[in-house]
Tab-separated table of all heavy atoms in Angstrom:
chain	number	residue	atom	x	y	z
C	1023	HIS	N	22.498	15.003	2.792
C	1023	HIS	CA	23.881	14.864	2.319
C	1023	HIS	C	24.647	13.806	3.104
C	1023	HIS	O	25.403	13.018	2.517
C	1023	HIS	CB	24.596	16.210	2.426
C	1023	HIS	CG	25.993	16.192	1.872
C	1023	HIS	ND1	26.245	16.172	0.513
C	1023	HIS	CD2	27.205	16.181	2.498
C	1023	HIS	CE1	27.556	16.153	0.317
C	1023	HIS	NE2	28.159	16.155	1.499
C	1024	TYR	N	24.433	13.753	4.422
C	1024	TYR	CA	25.241	12.868	5.258
C	1024	TYR	C	24.515	11.595	5.694
C	1024	TYR	O	25.164	10.623	6.093
C	1024	TYR	CB	25.708	13.620	6.513
C	1024	TYR	CG	26.729	14.683	6.220
C	1024	TYR	CD1	26.383	16.031	6.239
C	1024	TYR	CD2	28.044	14.342	5.889
C	1024	TYR	CE1	27.323	17.018	5.963
C	1024	TYR	CE2	28.988	15.319	5.609
C	1024	TYR	CZ	28.628	16.656	5.644
C	1024	TYR	OH	29.552	17.626	5.355
C	1025	ILE	N	23.169	11.576	5.620
C	1025	ILE	CA	22.439	10.426	6.150
C	1025	ILE	C	21.551	9.760	5.102
C	1025	ILE	O	21.653	8.554	4.862
C	1025	ILE	CB	21.579	10.847	7.365
C	1025	ILE	CG1	22.479	11.399	8.477
C	1025	ILE	CG2	20.760	9.664	7.887
C	1025	ILE	CD1	21.715	11.960	9.667
C	1026	ALA	N	20.647	10.520	4.482
C	1026	ALA	CA	19.627	9.914	3.614
C	1026	ALA	C	20.159	9.525	2.236
C	1026	ALA	O	19.842	8.469	1.707
C	1026	ALA	CB	18.442	10.860	3.465
C	1027	HIS	N	20.941	10.399	1.631
C	1027	HIS	CA	21.549	10.153	0.321
C	1027	HIS	C	20.520	9.860	-0.772
C	1027	HIS	O	20.687	8.928	-1.562
C	1027	HIS	CB	22.539	8.983	0.401
C	1027	HIS	CG	23.575	9.128	1.465
C	1027	HIS	ND1	24.529	10.128	1.454
C	1027	HIS	CD2	23.808	8.400	2.600
C	1027	HIS	CE1	25.308	10.014	2.516
C	1027	HIS	NE2	24.893	8.985	3.232
C	1028	VAL	N	19.439	10.647	-0.810
C	1028	VAL	CA	18.471	10.467	-1.895
C	1028	VAL	C	18.732	11.498	-2.992
C	1028	VAL	O	19.196	12.603	-2.710
C	1028	VAL	CB	17.011	10.591	-1.396
C	1028	VAL	CG1	16.703	9.497	-0.399
C	1028	VAL	CG2	16.747	11.964	-0.799
C	1029	PRO	N	18.441	11.154	-4.242
C	1029	PRO	CA	18.634	12.114	-5.337
C	1029	PRO	C	17.513	13.142	-5.355
C	1029	PRO	O	16.339	12.804	-5.181
C	1029	PRO	CB	18.591	11.230	-6.583
C	1029	PRO	CG	17.718	10.080	-6.194
C	1029	PRO	CD	17.975	9.850	-4.725
C	1030	VAL	N	17.859	14.401	-5.528
C	1030	VAL	CA	16.878	15.474	-5.655
C	1030	VAL	C	17.127	16.166	-6.991
C	1030	VAL	O	18.210	16.695	-7.232
C	1030	VAL	CB	16.984	16.495	-4.503
C	1030	VAL	CG1	15.941	17.594	-4.683
C	1030	VAL	CG2	16.823	15.806	-3.152
C	1031	SER	N	16.136	16.139	-7.859
C	1031	SER	CA	16.270	16.717	-9.205
C	1031	SER	C	15.596	18.080	-9.253
C	1031	SER	O	14.378	18.185	-9.293
C	1031	SER	CB	15.630	15.773	-10.234
C	1031	SER	OG	15.705	16.327	-11.533
C	1032	PHE	N	16.413	19.129	-9.247
C	1032	PHE	CA	15.868	20.487	-9.265
C	1032	PHE	C	15.469	20.933	-10.668
C	1032	PHE	O	14.725	21.904	-10.812
C	1032	PHE	CB	16.904	21.473	-8.701
C	1032	PHE	CG	17.029	21.429	-7.214
C	1032	PHE	CD1	18.023	20.667	-6.611
C	1032	PHE	CD2	16.147	22.132	-6.398
C	1032	PHE	CE1	18.143	20.626	-5.236
C	1032	PHE	CE2	16.256	22.092	-5.027
C	1032	PHE	CZ	17.263	21.336	-4.442
C	1033	TRP	N	15.969	20.254	-11.682
C	1033	TRP	CA	15.691	20.708	-13.039
C	1033	TRP	C	15.731	19.533	-13.993
C	1033	TRP	O	16.539	18.615	-13.844
C	1033	TRP	CB	16.723	21.757	-13.469
C	1033	TRP	CG	16.526	22.287	-14.860
C	1033	TRP	CD1	17.322	22.073	-15.951
C	1033	TRP	CD2	15.450	23.107	-15.326
C	1033	TRP	NE1	16.817	22.705	-17.062
C	1033	TRP	CE2	15.669	23.355	-16.703
C	1033	TRP	CE3	14.324	23.657	-14.698
C	1033	TRP	CZ2	14.802	24.136	-17.468
C	1033	TRP	CZ3	13.458	24.422	-15.465
C	1033	TRP	CH2	13.706	24.656	-16.823
C	1034	ASN	N	14.853	19.551	-14.968
C	1034	ASN	CA	14.825	18.549	-16.020
C	1034	ASN	C	14.633	19.279	-17.345
C	1034	ASN	O	13.580	19.870	-17.590
C	1034	ASN	CB	13.682	17.557	-15.777
C	1034	ASN	CG	13.632	16.459	-16.827
C	1034	ASN	OD1	14.425	16.437	-17.774
C	1034	ASN	ND2	12.697	15.533	-16.678
C	1035	ARG	N	15.665	19.271	-18.168
C	1035	ARG	CA	15.603	20.043	-19.415
C	1035	ARG	C	14.908	19.306	-20.547
C	1035	ARG	O	14.756	19.857	-21.640
C	1035	ARG	CB	17.018	20.423	-19.854
C	1035	ARG	CG	17.934	19.250	-20.149
C	1035	ARG	CD	19.350	19.732	-20.436
C	1035	ARG	NE	20.263	18.641	-20.699
C	1035	ARG	CZ	20.449	18.092	-21.902
C	1035	ARG	NH1	19.778	18.562	-22.943
C	1035	ARG	NH2	21.303	17.099	-22.066
C	1036	HIS	N	14.479	18.101	-20.297
C	1036	HIS	CA	13.845	17.306	-21.352
C	1036	HIS	C	12.317	17.462	-21.306
C	1036	HIS	O	11.718	17.587	-20.242
C	1036	HIS	CB	14.205	15.828	-21.204
C	1036	HIS	CG	15.679	15.558	-21.270
C	1036	HIS	ND1	16.413	15.710	-22.423
C	1036	HIS	CD2	16.565	15.166	-20.304
C	1036	HIS	CE1	17.676	15.406	-22.190
C	1036	HIS	NE2	17.799	15.080	-20.914
C	1037	TYR	N	11.713	17.422	-22.498
C	1037	TYR	CA	10.243	17.388	-22.630
C	1037	TYR	C	9.572	18.529	-21.868
C	1037	TYR	O	8.662	18.308	-21.052
C	1037	TYR	CB	9.689	16.035	-22.145
C	1037	TYR	CG	10.412	14.853	-22.703
C	1037	TYR	CD1	11.213	14.045	-21.880
C	1037	TYR	CD2	10.344	14.536	-24.060
C	1037	TYR	CE1	11.897	12.956	-22.392
C	1037	TYR	CE2	11.030	13.446	-24.589
C	1037	TYR	CZ	11.801	12.658	-23.751
C	1037	TYR	OH	12.480	11.587	-24.251
C	1038	GLY	N	10.009	19.745	-22.136
C	1038	GLY	CA	9.488	20.907	-21.426
C	1038	GLY	C	7.980	21.055	-21.535
C	1038	GLY	O	7.299	21.288	-20.524
C	1039	TRP	N	7.439	20.930	-22.752
C	1039	TRP	CA	6.000	21.075	-22.922
C	1039	TRP	C	5.250	19.935	-22.243
C	1039	TRP	O	4.161	20.121	-21.690
C	1039	TRP	CB	5.635	21.137	-24.398
C	1039	TRP	CG	5.987	22.439	-25.047
C	1039	TRP	CD1	6.938	22.671	-25.994
C	1039	TRP	CD2	5.390	23.716	-24.761
C	1039	TRP	NE1	6.993	24.004	-26.323
C	1039	TRP	CE2	6.044	24.669	-25.584
C	1039	TRP	CE3	4.381	24.146	-23.900
C	1039	TRP	CZ2	5.705	26.018	-25.563
C	1039	TRP	CZ3	4.050	25.483	-23.873
C	1039	TRP	CH2	4.705	26.407	-24.705
C	1040	GLY	N	5.847	18.741	-22.282
C	1040	GLY	CA	5.223	17.615	-21.599
C	1040	GLY	C	5.168	17.825	-20.093
C	1040	GLY	O	4.194	17.447	-19.442
Side-chain angles (χ1 to χ4, degrees):
H1023 184 74
Y1024 290 105
I1025 299 175
H1027 307 296
V1028 297
V1030 180
S1031 178
F1032 284 96
W1033 180 249
N1034 182 358
R1035 61 186 179 87
H1036 301 291
Y1037 312 111
W1039 286 112

